[in-house]
Amino acid sequence: LSPAADVLAVMNARHSHRQGPHVSAGAEDRNLQIQALEKIARPVLENLSQGTLHSTMINQTSGGSSGIKCPSYRISAAFGRLLAGIAPWLELGADSTEEGQLRAEFIELTNKAFHNVFLNTTCGDFVKWDGCVTTMVEAAFVGHSLLRMPTIVKAMDDDLKQAMAKNLQLTFKFGDRESNNWCNFPSILQAGLWYHNLTNQTQYIYEAIKLQEEWYKGDGAYGDGAHFHFDQYNSFVMHPELVDAVAVCKLKNDPMGAKYNCLLKRMQRWAVVQERMIHPDGSYLIVGRSEHYRFGAFQAISQLALQNLLPSNLPRGQVRTALTAVIKRFLSNPDNFIDGWLSAGVNGHQPGMMNSYGDTGALYLISFGLLQLGLPPTDAFWTEPAINCTQAQIWIEGKDIGLDEAYDGPAC
């Protein structure tokens, strides 16, 4: 790929963003979401930059569970998951505004964190990426972040990039767990490395495409393996990672890139379903495992907003209003944090709702619901008028919104 053939051309058109009105109707919405990002991210980035995350972060597991027996898990989970969510915002770079100065600070902290996690072998937060199978999950989230902040990655020194690629690829030894959504983890990692010319291998991308097609159930929903699970893994993992991996194939002129538009339409249908799960008060449907990742459950709709790919029946102002309501409700409950760290739960400290294999670091997948902050404040996503979410239009406004229809698209 030439430098001009940037990944933004397919996956992230925000630098050629649409201009909205001079006065942003969504400025307050953005400010609130920035508050959430800073509150979530600061303790992780500050400690990682100093090499103190492992010794400082509180340990939370599900009631009676000892969590995952992996020394590096808490570090790799907090690092990979937080980074994948805030990477598009970091990619906007520093500027003279208050938000731009916060970004400059966090970019510096992130660079230090990368060095401690991948290069500084004497640091308490250095990660042994081949230590256990769960590091493959977190390596995948780092891989996804490489696609979401390409300029920052390109600016890294060569020693760091080579150490990062070498360590992340150690997790491929765990890459043959193909019975569920995990098939996407080595795939998106391979895509992130491939985009930056740090590998030329594609076998895991091809395998994930093949398996997810076999597991497609219709109306925008994939099975988590052969069976459908009513949870949020279509958004936590499957749609965002599959679509972005295939987008890299498209950029590389690989034949699998021809599947991009078809896969995108499925993801757009899932976003419509997701928006309808959000209630006017910012609560939303809780179903299935891993709901302690909170509004990270809306990664699919957040990613489509970031990439200017929302379906025509989901106006930007409506998506912004819905996501802001969810984030505002989260911030309104002080019990969502313990000593500055995310607490285990959905609405406050509810450790019984945490996966038995979970840990405090895993909770930072919540940041996946902040991808839209990678759109600059002048983008129409932030400036278009607010529109109530679907449930408010029906139950409060009494509006006739028309028929919702299933998506019966072709095989991909």
Side-chain angles (χ1 to χ4, degrees), residues 140-141 144 184-185 188 236-246:
F141 296 142
H144 210 164
N184 291 283
F185 295 141
I188 194 64
F236 288 141
V237 176
M238 290 183 273
H239 279 298
E241 295 190 2
L242 181 63
V243 168
D244 275 1
V246 173

Side-chain angles (χ1 to χ4, degrees), residues 191-386:
L193 294 172
W194 187 26
Y195 170 72
H196 288 283
N197 297 316
L198 296 170
T199 185
N200 59 4
Q201 300 298 306
T202 59
Q203 70 272 30
Y204 290 117
I205 300 173
Y206 273 51
E207 185 67 8
I209 294 169
K210 171 181 174 291
L211 289 171
Q212 290 289 183
E213 186 62 26
E214 291 175 2
W215 300 336
Y216 183 62
K217 304 304 179 185
D219 202 18
Y222 292 101
D224 195 349
H227 300 287
F228 175 75
H229 294 178
F230 206 138
D231 55 31
Q232 293 289 4
Y233 273 81
N234 269 277
S235 185
F236 288 141
V237 176
M238 290 183 273
H239 279 298
E241 295 190 2
L242 181 63
V243 168
D244 275 1
V246 173
V248 175
C249 291
K250 185 175 181 180
L251 284 167
K252 293 282 191 177
N253 296 316
D254 184 274
M256 284 294 178
K259 296 179 178 290
Y260 178 79
N261 289 337
C262 181
L263 297 173
L264 174 62
K265 288 178 181 178
R266 293 176 179 176
M267 184 175 176
Q268 289 173 324
R269 170 56 184 167
W270 190 253
V272 171
V273 172
Q274 281 212 302
E275 190 273 340
R276 287 173 175 250
M277 296 180 181
I278 298 174
H279 307 148
D281 64 355
S283 62
Y284 53 92
L285 177 67
I286 300 297
V287 60
R289 66 190 175 101
S290 300
E291 289 292 355
H292 57 289
Y293 299 152
R294 295 184 170 97
F295 59 78
F298 297 104
Q299 178 179 205
I301 195 169
S302 296
Q303 180 169 305
L304 291 174
L306 170 71
Q307 298 171 356
N308 300 328
L309 292 172
L310 288 168
S312 59
N313 56 343
L314 266 188
R316 291 180 286 267
Q318 183 171 326
V319 170
R320 187 189 74 234
T321 300
L323 292 175
T324 301
V326 171
I327 295 167
K328 183 177 182 179
R329 187 179 181 105
F330 162 77
L331 286 175
S332 72
N333 187 346
D335 291 335
N336 283 323
F337 294 89
I338 299 175
D339 297 331
W341 304 102
L342 287 169
S343 65
V346 174
N347 182 33
H349 187 223
Q350 301 158 319
M353 299 185 72
M354 193 175 190
N355 294 333
S356 61
Y357 50 84
D359 185 282
T360 307
L363 301 173
Y364 287 84
L365 195 146
I366 189 176
S367 69
F368 290 10
L370 296 171
L371 297 175
Q372 62 278 0
L373 286 171
L375 293 166
T378 52
D379 188 271
F381 181 83
W382 301 108
T383 61
E384 288 190 357

Side-chain angles (χ1 to χ4, degrees), residues 78-94:
F79 174 68
R81 295 171 188 227
L82 177 68
L83 190 63
I86 70 171
W89 179 73
L90 296 175
E91 176 71 6
L92 289 176

